[in-house]
mmCIF file of all heavy atoms in Angstrom:
data_model
loop_
_atom_site.group_PDB
_atom_site.id
_atom_site.type_symbol
_atom_site.label_atom_id
_atom_site.label_comp_id
_atom_site.label_asym_id
_atom_site.label_seq_id
_atom_site.Cartn_x
_atom_site.Cartn_y
_atom_site.Cartn_z
ATOM 1 N N SER A 25 -49.547 13.361 103.631
ATOM 2 C CA SER A 25 -48.525 12.957 104.557
ATOM 3 C C SER A 25 -49.120 12.346 105.771
ATOM 4 O O SER A 25 -48.714 11.286 106.213
ATOM 5 C CB SER A 25 -47.651 14.158 104.920
ATOM 6 O OG SER A 25 -46.735 13.736 105.963
ATOM 7 N N PHE A 26 -50.187 13.014 106.383
ATOM 8 C CA PHE A 26 -50.887 12.501 107.575
ATOM 9 C C PHE A 26 -51.607 11.195 107.137
ATOM 10 O O PHE A 26 -51.511 10.168 107.962
ATOM 11 C CB PHE A 26 -51.989 13.465 107.922
ATOM 12 C CG PHE A 26 -52.850 12.942 109.090
ATOM 13 C CD1 PHE A 26 -52.390 13.040 110.355
ATOM 14 C CD2 PHE A 26 -54.062 12.416 108.809
ATOM 15 C CE1 PHE A 26 -53.180 12.564 111.398
ATOM 16 C CE2 PHE A 26 -54.852 11.965 109.883
ATOM 17 C CZ PHE A 26 -54.435 11.988 111.144
ATOM 18 N N MET A 27 -52.233 11.011 106.003
ATOM 19 C CA MET A 27 -52.933 9.849 105.550
ATOM 20 C C MET A 27 -51.882 8.648 105.526
ATOM 21 O O MET A 27 -52.174 7.567 105.986
ATOM 22 C CB MET A 27 -53.548 9.972 104.263
ATOM 23 C CG MET A 27 -54.701 11.003 104.231
ATOM 24 S SD MET A 27 -56.125 10.354 105.055
ATOM 25 C CE MET A 27 -56.772 9.213 103.769
ATOM 26 N N ALA A 28 -50.754 8.905 104.930
ATOM 27 C CA ALA A 28 -49.786 7.791 104.771
ATOM 28 C C ALA A 28 -49.006 7.381 106.062
ATOM 29 O O ALA A 28 -48.949 6.248 106.365
ATOM 30 C CB ALA A 28 -48.665 8.195 103.692
ATOM 31 N N THR A 29 -48.726 8.389 106.860
ATOM 32 C CA THR A 29 -48.037 8.124 108.088
ATOM 33 C C THR A 29 -49.000 7.409 109.099
ATOM 34 O O THR A 29 -48.484 6.485 109.769
ATOM 35 C CB THR A 29 -47.619 9.434 108.816
ATOM 36 O OG1 THR A 29 -46.817 10.173 107.838
ATOM 37 C CG2 THR A 29 -46.967 9.246 110.131
ATOM 38 N N ASN A 30 -50.343 7.639 109.009
ATOM 39 C CA ASN A 30 -51.125 7.065 109.996
ATOM 40 C C ASN A 30 -52.010 5.976 109.452
ATOM 41 O O ASN A 30 -52.917 5.456 110.088
ATOM 42 C CB ASN A 30 -52.056 8.154 110.660
ATOM 43 C CG ASN A 30 -51.250 9.114 111.431
ATOM 44 O OD1 ASN A 30 -50.846 8.810 112.622
ATOM 45 N ND2 ASN A 30 -50.930 10.297 110.848
ATOM 46 N N ARG A 31 -51.858 5.625 108.091
ATOM 47 C CA ARG A 31 -52.545 4.580 107.473
ATOM 48 C C ARG A 31 -54.053 4.798 107.674
ATOM 49 O O ARG A 31 -54.733 3.829 108.254
ATOM 50 C CB ARG A 31 -52.086 3.189 107.879
ATOM 51 C CG ARG A 31 -50.708 2.772 107.561
ATOM 52 C CD ARG A 31 -50.448 1.367 107.732
ATOM 53 N NE ARG A 31 -49.117 0.937 107.245
ATOM 54 C CZ ARG A 31 -48.032 0.984 107.939
ATOM 55 N NH1 ARG A 31 -48.032 1.433 109.187
ATOM 56 N NH2 ARG A 31 -46.818 0.591 107.470
ATOM 57 N N VAL A 32 -54.553 5.858 107.167
ATOM 58 C CA VAL A 32 -55.950 6.328 107.417
ATOM 59 C C VAL A 32 -56.809 5.601 106.249
ATOM 60 O O VAL A 32 -56.372 5.741 105.151
ATOM 61 C CB VAL A 32 -56.125 7.779 107.450
ATOM 62 C CG1 VAL A 32 -57.595 8.150 107.526
ATOM 63 C CG2 VAL A 32 -55.420 8.364 108.676
ATOM 64 N N VAL A 33 -57.889 5.061 106.689
ATOM 65 C CA VAL A 33 -58.898 4.617 105.570
ATOM 66 C C VAL A 33 -60.263 4.984 106.089
ATOM 67 O O VAL A 33 -60.462 5.435 107.244
ATOM 68 C CB VAL A 33 -58.810 3.080 105.470
ATOM 69 C CG1 VAL A 33 -57.449 2.588 104.940
ATOM 70 C CG2 VAL A 33 -59.269 2.380 106.803
ATOM 71 N N SER A 34 -61.251 4.836 105.236
ATOM 72 C CA SER A 34 -62.666 5.052 105.592
ATOM 73 C C SER A 34 -63.438 3.806 105.188
ATOM 74 O O SER A 34 -63.123 3.245 104.183
ATOM 75 C CB SER A 34 -63.256 6.237 104.939
ATOM 76 O OG SER A 34 -64.553 6.423 105.370
ATOM 77 N N ILE A 35 -64.429 3.438 105.888
ATOM 78 C CA ILE A 35 -65.358 2.380 105.506
ATOM 79 C C ILE A 35 -66.771 2.805 105.402
ATOM 80 O O ILE A 35 -67.681 2.045 105.557
ATOM 81 C CB ILE A 35 -65.215 1.040 106.338
ATOM 82 C CG1 ILE A 35 -65.493 1.321 107.836
ATOM 83 C CG2 ILE A 35 -63.819 0.380 106.096
ATOM 84 C CD1 ILE A 35 -65.442 0.081 108.596
ATOM 85 N N ASN A 36 -66.999 4.077 105.081
ATOM 86 C CA ASN A 36 -68.346 4.517 104.725
ATOM 87 C C ASN A 36 -68.298 4.310 103.165
ATOM 88 O O ASN A 36 -67.376 3.762 102.582
ATOM 89 C CB ASN A 36 -68.722 5.852 105.184
ATOM 90 C CG ASN A 36 -67.875 7.014 104.487
ATOM 91 O OD1 ASN A 36 -66.971 6.752 103.766
ATOM 92 N ND2 ASN A 36 -68.159 8.229 104.947
ATOM 93 N N SER A 37 -69.327 4.820 102.505
ATOM 94 C CA SER A 37 -69.413 4.483 101.041
ATOM 95 C C SER A 37 -68.467 5.292 100.243
ATOM 96 O O SER A 37 -68.471 5.220 98.960
ATOM 97 C CB SER A 37 -70.900 4.611 100.509
ATOM 98 O OG SER A 37 -71.302 5.907 100.723
ATOM 99 N N ILE A 38 -67.598 6.180 100.894
ATOM 100 C CA ILE A 38 -66.475 6.648 100.167
ATOM 101 C C ILE A 38 -65.563 5.470 99.674
ATOM 102 O O ILE A 38 -64.900 5.558 98.676
ATOM 103 C CB ILE A 38 -65.639 7.648 101.044
ATOM 104 C CG1 ILE A 38 -66.390 8.953 101.283
ATOM 105 C CG2 ILE A 38 -64.289 7.962 100.559
ATOM 106 C CD1 ILE A 38 -65.842 9.951 102.183
ATOM 107 N N ASN A 39 -65.526 4.499 100.501
ATOM 108 C CA ASN A 39 -64.667 3.292 100.234
ATOM 109 C C ASN A 39 -65.354 2.429 99.184
ATOM 110 O O ASN A 39 -66.426 1.987 99.289
ATOM 111 C CB ASN A 39 -64.473 2.493 101.575
ATOM 112 C CG ASN A 39 -63.501 1.369 101.498
ATOM 113 O OD1 ASN A 39 -63.417 0.686 100.462
ATOM 114 N ND2 ASN A 39 -62.690 1.248 102.524
ATOM 115 N N TRP A 40 -64.553 2.156 98.138
ATOM 116 C CA TRP A 40 -65.132 1.418 96.986
ATOM 117 C C TRP A 40 -65.599 0.047 97.445
ATOM 118 O O TRP A 40 -66.626 -0.427 96.890
ATOM 119 C CB TRP A 40 -64.108 1.297 95.884
ATOM 120 C CG TRP A 40 -64.350 -0.022 95.059
ATOM 121 C CD1 TRP A 40 -63.745 -1.118 95.144
ATOM 122 C CD2 TRP A 40 -65.488 -0.099 94.143
ATOM 123 N NE1 TRP A 40 -64.274 -2.009 94.271
ATOM 124 C CE2 TRP A 40 -65.379 -1.405 93.641
ATOM 125 C CE3 TRP A 40 -66.465 0.735 93.696
ATOM 126 C CZ2 TRP A 40 -66.229 -1.903 92.687
ATOM 127 C CZ3 TRP A 40 -67.343 0.155 92.747
ATOM 128 C CH2 TRP A 40 -67.251 -1.112 92.349
ATOM 129 N N ALA A 41 -64.946 -0.544 98.392
ATOM 130 C CA ALA A 41 -65.298 -1.976 98.729
ATOM 131 C C ALA A 41 -66.747 -1.952 99.252
ATOM 132 O O ALA A 41 -67.501 -3.071 99.159
ATOM 133 C CB ALA A 41 -64.365 -2.453 99.852
ATOM 134 N N ARG A 42 -67.193 -0.933 99.940
ATOM 135 C CA ARG A 42 -68.662 -0.980 100.325
ATOM 136 C C ARG A 42 -69.656 -1.045 99.175
ATOM 137 O O ARG A 42 -70.550 -1.647 99.227
ATOM 138 C CB ARG A 42 -68.912 0.420 101.036
ATOM 139 C CG ARG A 42 -68.663 0.413 102.614
ATOM 140 C CD ARG A 42 -69.878 -0.179 103.339
ATOM 141 N NE ARG A 42 -71.049 0.578 103.106
ATOM 142 C CZ ARG A 42 -71.454 1.716 103.691
ATOM 143 N NH1 ARG A 42 -70.615 2.259 104.586
ATOM 144 N NH2 ARG A 42 -72.559 2.241 103.364
ATOM 145 N N ILE A 43 -69.238 -0.272 98.156
ATOM 146 C CA ILE A 43 -70.085 -0.330 96.883
ATOM 147 C C ILE A 43 -70.076 -1.731 96.354
ATOM 148 O O ILE A 43 -71.075 -2.293 95.892
ATOM 149 C CB ILE A 43 -69.690 0.695 95.835
ATOM 150 C CG1 ILE A 43 -69.565 2.116 96.422
ATOM 151 C CG2 ILE A 43 -70.556 0.637 94.648
ATOM 152 C CD1 ILE A 43 -70.887 2.599 97.055
ATOM 153 N N MET A 44 -68.813 -2.314 96.255
ATOM 154 C CA MET A 44 -68.751 -3.670 95.732
ATOM 155 C C MET A 44 -69.588 -4.691 96.501
ATOM 156 O O MET A 44 -70.350 -5.514 95.886
ATOM 157 C CB MET A 44 -67.239 -4.083 95.918
ATOM 158 C CG MET A 44 -66.917 -5.544 95.651
ATOM 159 S SD MET A 44 -65.248 -5.981 96.058
ATOM 160 C CE MET A 44 -65.291 -5.923 97.883
ATOM 161 N N VAL A 45 -69.573 -4.614 97.770
ATOM 162 C CA VAL A 45 -70.395 -5.578 98.537
ATOM 163 C C VAL A 45 -71.830 -5.310 98.448
ATOM 164 O O VAL A 45 -72.637 -6.337 98.299
ATOM 165 C CB VAL A 45 -69.928 -5.563 100.055
ATOM 166 C CG1 VAL A 45 -70.852 -6.367 100.922
ATOM 167 C CG2 VAL A 45 -68.467 -6.002 100.195
ATOM 168 N N GLN A 46 -72.196 -4.023 98.423
ATOM 169 C CA GLN A 46 -73.675 -3.768 98.341
ATOM 170 C C GLN A 46 -74.205 -4.197 96.949
ATOM 171 O O GLN A 46 -75.386 -4.515 96.820
ATOM 172 C CB GLN A 46 -73.950 -2.279 98.541
ATOM 173 C CG GLN A 46 -73.791 -1.862 100.072
ATOM 174 C CD GLN A 46 -73.753 -0.412 100.310
ATOM 175 O OE1 GLN A 46 -73.484 0.001 101.453
ATOM 176 N NE2 GLN A 46 -74.121 0.448 99.388
ATOM 177 N N SER A 47 -73.383 -4.181 95.974
ATOM 178 C CA SER A 47 -73.887 -4.627 94.642
ATOM 179 C C SER A 47 -74.317 -6.161 94.721
ATOM 180 O O SER A 47 -75.208 -6.495 93.971
ATOM 181 C CB SER A 47 -72.763 -4.406 93.624
ATOM 182 O OG SER A 47 -71.806 -5.436 93.685
ATOM 183 N N ALA A 48 -73.796 -6.891 95.695
ATOM 184 C CA ALA A 48 -74.158 -8.294 95.752
ATOM 185 C C ALA A 48 -75.522 -8.615 96.053
ATOM 186 O O ALA A 48 -76.115 -9.584 95.502
ATOM 187 C CB ALA A 48 -73.231 -9.006 96.766
ATOM 188 N N TYR A 49 -76.219 -7.816 96.903
ATOM 189 C CA TYR A 49 -77.623 -8.088 97.221
ATOM 190 C C TYR A 49 -78.478 -7.790 96.055
ATOM 191 O O TYR A 49 -79.717 -8.269 96.030
ATOM 192 C CB TYR A 49 -78.078 -7.641 98.493
ATOM 193 C CG TYR A 49 -77.976 -6.139 98.871
ATOM 194 C CD1 TYR A 49 -78.765 -5.165 98.207
ATOM 195 C CD2 TYR A 49 -77.116 -5.662 99.825
ATOM 196 C CE1 TYR A 49 -78.782 -3.837 98.500
ATOM 197 C CE2 TYR A 49 -77.051 -4.269 100.122
ATOM 198 C CZ TYR A 49 -77.865 -3.449 99.527
ATOM 199 O OH TYR A 49 -77.859 -2.033 99.771
ATOM 200 N N TYR A 50 -78.128 -6.924 95.113
ATOM 201 C CA TYR A 50 -78.914 -6.778 93.943
ATOM 202 C C TYR A 50 -78.892 -8.127 93.156
ATOM 203 O O TYR A 50 -79.976 -8.490 92.536
ATOM 204 C CB TYR A 50 -78.392 -5.608 93.060
ATOM 205 C CG TYR A 50 -78.663 -4.262 93.650
ATOM 206 C CD1 TYR A 50 -77.849 -3.661 94.538
ATOM 207 C CD2 TYR A 50 -79.821 -3.644 93.218
ATOM 208 C CE1 TYR A 50 -78.111 -2.393 95.066
ATOM 209 C CE2 TYR A 50 -80.101 -2.389 93.814
ATOM 210 C CZ TYR A 50 -79.253 -1.730 94.648
ATOM 211 O OH TYR A 50 -79.545 -0.523 95.183
ATOM 212 N N PHE A 51 -77.731 -8.701 93.049
ATOM 213 C CA PHE A 51 -77.662 -10.020 92.282
ATOM 214 C C PHE A 51 -78.559 -11.104 92.950
ATOM 215 O O PHE A 51 -79.371 -11.778 92.218
ATOM 216 C CB PHE A 51 -76.289 -10.456 92.296
ATOM 217 C CG PHE A 51 -75.380 -9.916 91.363
ATOM 218 C CD1 PHE A 51 -74.529 -8.748 91.657
ATOM 219 C CD2 PHE A 51 -75.240 -10.321 90.038
ATOM 220 C CE1 PHE A 51 -73.722 -8.097 90.758
ATOM 221 C CE2 PHE A 51 -74.401 -9.669 89.090
ATOM 222 C CZ PHE A 51 -73.639 -8.560 89.479
ATOM 223 N N TRP A 52 -78.405 -11.104 94.283
ATOM 224 C CA TRP A 52 -79.285 -12.193 95.070
ATOM 225 C C TRP A 52 -80.691 -11.991 94.866
ATOM 226 O O TRP A 52 -81.499 -12.856 94.583
ATOM 227 C CB TRP A 52 -78.780 -12.215 96.448
ATOM 228 C CG TRP A 52 -79.617 -13.349 97.173
ATOM 229 C CD1 TRP A 52 -79.192 -14.675 97.223
ATOM 230 C CD2 TRP A 52 -80.757 -13.248 98.003
ATOM 231 N NE1 TRP A 52 -80.064 -15.386 97.976
ATOM 232 C CE2 TRP A 52 -81.080 -14.473 98.416
ATOM 233 C CE3 TRP A 52 -81.516 -12.116 98.326
ATOM 234 C CZ2 TRP A 52 -82.222 -14.743 99.315
ATOM 235 C CZ3 TRP A 52 -82.662 -12.427 99.056
ATOM 236 C CH2 TRP A 52 -82.975 -13.628 99.555
ATOM 237 N N ALA A 53 -81.197 -10.728 95.152
ATOM 238 C CA ALA A 53 -82.612 -10.386 95.064
ATOM 239 C C ALA A 53 -83.150 -10.680 93.681
ATOM 240 O O ALA A 53 -84.247 -11.167 93.417
ATOM 241 C CB ALA A 53 -82.811 -9.005 95.526
ATOM 242 N N TYR A 54 -82.315 -10.119 92.665
ATOM 243 C CA TYR A 54 -82.759 -10.349 91.294
ATOM 244 C C TYR A 54 -83.038 -11.812 90.961
ATOM 245 O O TYR A 54 -84.121 -12.244 90.406
ATOM 246 C CB TYR A 54 -81.828 -9.859 90.305
ATOM 247 C CG TYR A 54 -82.054 -10.063 88.820
ATOM 248 C CD1 TYR A 54 -82.853 -9.236 88.027
ATOM 249 C CD2 TYR A 54 -81.691 -11.411 88.286
ATOM 250 C CE1 TYR A 54 -83.154 -9.581 86.682
ATOM 251 C CE2 TYR A 54 -82.072 -11.682 86.929
ATOM 252 C CZ TYR A 54 -82.784 -10.804 86.169
ATOM 253 O OH TYR A 54 -83.146 -11.071 84.857
ATOM 254 N N LEU A 55 -82.104 -12.675 91.432
ATOM 255 C CA LEU A 55 -82.238 -14.092 91.120
ATOM 256 C C LEU A 55 -83.360 -14.833 91.860
ATOM 257 O O LEU A 55 -83.717 -15.911 91.446
ATOM 258 C CB LEU A 55 -80.830 -14.787 91.436
ATOM 259 C CG LEU A 55 -79.734 -14.377 90.390
ATOM 260 C CD1 LEU A 55 -78.358 -14.841 90.976
ATOM 261 C CD2 LEU A 55 -79.930 -14.957 89.027
ATOM 262 N N GLN A 56 -83.759 -14.217 92.966
ATOM 263 C CA GLN A 56 -84.979 -14.807 93.659
ATOM 264 C C GLN A 56 -86.285 -14.556 92.809
ATOM 265 O O GLN A 56 -87.133 -15.384 92.701
ATOM 266 C CB GLN A 56 -85.116 -14.193 95.035
ATOM 267 C CG GLN A 56 -84.040 -14.264 95.934
ATOM 268 C CD GLN A 56 -83.395 -15.771 95.926
ATOM 269 O OE1 GLN A 56 -84.028 -16.637 96.300
ATOM 270 N NE2 GLN A 56 -82.107 -15.790 95.492
ATOM 271 N N LEU A 57 -86.207 -13.452 92.028
ATOM 272 C CA LEU A 57 -87.454 -13.065 91.254
ATOM 273 C C LEU A 57 -87.300 -13.493 89.799
ATOM 274 O O LEU A 57 -88.392 -13.706 89.176
ATOM 275 C CB LEU A 57 -87.562 -11.536 91.378
ATOM 276 C CG LEU A 57 -87.720 -10.920 92.743
ATOM 277 C CD1 LEU A 57 -87.734 -9.432 92.790
ATOM 278 C CD2 LEU A 57 -88.985 -11.416 93.408
ATOM 279 N N ARG A 58 -86.135 -13.709 89.387
ATOM 280 C CA ARG A 58 -85.857 -14.103 87.940
ATOM 281 C C ARG A 58 -84.817 -15.127 87.836
ATOM 282 O O ARG A 58 -83.709 -14.902 87.246
ATOM 283 C CB ARG A 58 -85.449 -12.866 87.037
ATOM 284 C CG ARG A 58 -86.445 -11.687 86.969
ATOM 285 C CD ARG A 58 -87.476 -11.986 85.949
ATOM 286 N NE ARG A 58 -88.169 -10.847 85.450
ATOM 287 C CZ ARG A 58 -89.199 -10.772 84.596
ATOM 288 N NH1 ARG A 58 -89.656 -11.904 84.090
ATOM 289 N NH2 ARG A 58 -89.728 -9.570 84.209
ATOM 290 N N PRO A 59 -84.995 -16.326 88.385
ATOM 291 C CA PRO A 59 -84.012 -17.327 88.462
ATOM 292 C C PRO A 59 -83.532 -17.786 87.046
ATOM 293 O O PRO A 59 -82.350 -18.248 86.939
ATOM 294 C CB PRO A 59 -84.615 -18.442 89.208
ATOM 295 C CG PRO A 59 -86.070 -18.261 89.205
ATOM 296 C CD PRO A 59 -86.250 -16.819 89.105
ATOM 297 N N GLU A 60 -84.309 -17.578 86.034
ATOM 298 C CA GLU A 60 -84.006 -17.970 84.625
ATOM 299 C C GLU A 60 -83.318 -16.832 83.953
ATOM 300 O O GLU A 60 -83.029 -16.998 82.776
ATOM 301 C CB GLU A 60 -85.255 -18.447 83.907
ATOM 302 C CG GLU A 60 -85.877 -19.669 84.445
ATOM 303 C CD GLU A 60 -84.853 -20.939 84.522
ATOM 304 O OE1 GLU A 60 -84.158 -21.036 83.483
ATOM 305 O OE2 GLU A 60 -84.831 -21.658 85.441
ATOM 306 N N VAL A 61 -83.115 -15.713 84.675
ATOM 307 C CA VAL A 61 -82.513 -14.527 84.074
ATOM 308 C C VAL A 61 -83.214 -14.213 82.746
ATOM 309 O O VAL A 61 -82.578 -14.032 81.707
ATOM 310 C CB VAL A 61 -81.006 -14.697 83.854
ATOM 311 C CG1 VAL A 61 -80.278 -13.385 83.597
ATOM 312 C CG2 VAL A 61 -80.435 -15.331 85.135
ATOM 313 N N ASP A 62 -84.558 -14.111 82.819
ATOM 314 C CA ASP A 62 -85.344 -14.011 81.644
ATOM 315 C C ASP A 62 -86.109 -12.669 81.452
ATOM 316 O O ASP A 62 -87.186 -12.584 80.881
ATOM 317 C CB ASP A 62 -86.351 -15.110 81.497
ATOM 318 C CG ASP A 62 -87.258 -15.287 82.791
ATOM 319 O OD1 ASP A 62 -86.996 -14.511 83.712
ATOM 320 O OD2 ASP A 62 -88.066 -16.117 82.757
ATOM 321 N N GLY A 63 -85.653 -11.612 82.160
ATOM 322 C CA GLY A 63 -86.250 -10.311 82.067
ATOM 323 C C GLY A 63 -85.758 -9.373 83.119
ATOM 324 O O GLY A 63 -84.825 -9.688 83.849
ATOM 325 N N GLU A 64 -86.375 -8.156 83.195
ATOM 326 C CA GLU A 64 -85.807 -7.131 84.095
ATOM 327 C C GLU A 64 -86.462 -7.223 85.471
ATOM 328 O O GLU A 64 -87.577 -7.795 85.647
ATOM 329 C CB GLU A 64 -86.124 -5.773 83.475
ATOM 330 C CG GLU A 64 -85.338 -5.477 82.202
ATOM 331 C CD GLU A 64 -85.667 -4.133 81.630
ATOM 332 O OE1 GLU A 64 -86.739 -3.566 81.961
ATOM 333 O OE2 GLU A 64 -84.884 -3.603 80.834
ATOM 334 N N VAL A 65 -85.738 -6.576 86.399
ATOM 335 C CA VAL A 65 -86.350 -6.262 87.791
ATOM 336 C C VAL A 65 -86.041 -4.818 88.007
ATOM 337 O O VAL A 65 -84.892 -4.458 87.758
ATOM 338 C CB VAL A 65 -85.713 -7.162 88.907
ATOM 339 C CG1 VAL A 65 -86.144 -6.719 90.172
ATOM 340 C CG2 VAL A 65 -86.174 -8.585 88.606
ATOM 341 N N HIS A 66 -86.967 -4.081 88.427
ATOM 342 C CA HIS A 66 -86.756 -2.656 88.880
ATOM 343 C C HIS A 66 -86.451 -2.628 90.391
ATOM 344 O O HIS A 66 -87.156 -3.394 91.159
ATOM 345 C CB HIS A 66 -88.036 -1.828 88.589
ATOM 346 C CG HIS A 66 -88.417 -1.811 87.116
ATOM 347 N ND1 HIS A 66 -87.585 -1.620 86.090
ATOM 348 C CD2 HIS A 66 -89.638 -2.133 86.612
ATOM 349 C CE1 HIS A 66 -88.315 -1.721 84.938
ATOM 350 N NE2 HIS A 66 -89.566 -2.101 85.216
ATOM 351 N N PHE A 67 -85.556 -1.781 90.828
ATOM 352 C CA PHE A 67 -85.305 -1.577 92.250
ATOM 353 C C PHE A 67 -85.525 -0.109 92.603
ATOM 354 O O PHE A 67 -85.326 0.809 91.927
ATOM 355 C CB PHE A 67 -83.821 -1.908 92.510
ATOM 356 C CG PHE A 67 -83.430 -3.349 92.460
ATOM 357 C CD1 PHE A 67 -83.124 -3.927 91.241
ATOM 358 C CD2 PHE A 67 -83.536 -4.114 93.670
ATOM 359 C CE1 PHE A 67 -82.879 -5.330 91.177
ATOM 360 C CE2 PHE A 67 -83.225 -5.438 93.553
ATOM 361 C CZ PHE A 67 -82.892 -6.158 92.363
ATOM 362 N N VAL A 68 -86.163 -0.068 93.813
ATOM 363 C CA VAL A 68 -86.429 1.261 94.457
ATOM 364 C C VAL A 68 -85.579 1.447 95.629
ATOM 365 O O VAL A 68 -85.614 0.562 96.626
ATOM 366 C CB VAL A 68 -87.903 1.407 94.819
ATOM 367 C CG1 VAL A 68 -88.270 2.861 95.334
ATOM 368 C CG2 VAL A 68 -88.832 1.077 93.651
ATOM 369 N N VAL A 69 -84.840 2.449 95.733
ATOM 370 C CA VAL A 69 -83.820 2.646 96.753
ATOM 371 C C VAL A 69 -83.885 3.987 97.456
ATOM 372 O O VAL A 69 -83.768 5.033 96.710
ATOM 373 C CB VAL A 69 -82.323 2.525 96.133
ATOM 374 C CG1 VAL A 69 -81.321 2.556 97.223
ATOM 375 C CG2 VAL A 69 -82.236 1.299 95.276
ATOM 376 N N PRO A 70 -84.143 4.083 98.796
ATOM 377 C CA PRO A 70 -84.002 5.322 99.519
ATOM 378 C C PRO A 70 -82.548 5.737 99.378
ATOM 379 O O PRO A 70 -81.652 4.982 99.540
ATOM 380 C CB PRO A 70 -84.381 5.016 100.961
ATOM 381 C CG PRO A 70 -84.977 3.592 100.845
ATOM 382 C CD PRO A 70 -84.405 2.885 99.681
ATOM 383 N N THR A 71 -82.329 7.103 99.092
ATOM 384 C CA THR A 71 -80.881 7.437 98.929
ATOM 385 C C THR A 71 -80.528 8.756 99.664
ATOM 386 O O THR A 71 -81.397 9.695 99.632
ATOM 387 C CB THR A 71 -80.598 7.499 97.370
ATOM 388 O OG1 THR A 71 -79.232 7.638 97.253
ATOM 389 C CG2 THR A 71 -81.260 8.646 96.744
ATOM 390 N N GLY A 72 -79.320 8.796 100.131
ATOM 391 C CA GLY A 72 -78.729 10.032 100.700
ATOM 392 C C GLY A 72 -77.445 10.320 99.974
ATOM 393 O O GLY A 72 -77.411 11.285 99.116
#
């Protein structure tokens, strides 16, 4: 009731849109290293 009445949202990574946008830099970084899309790239990510 409180959420609907006050139109509450979050924009930390609880919010799906944050994950959607962050996925984009994996695409960009991968394509700098493998522009022909001809193999794998490993990613190392600090995580909380």
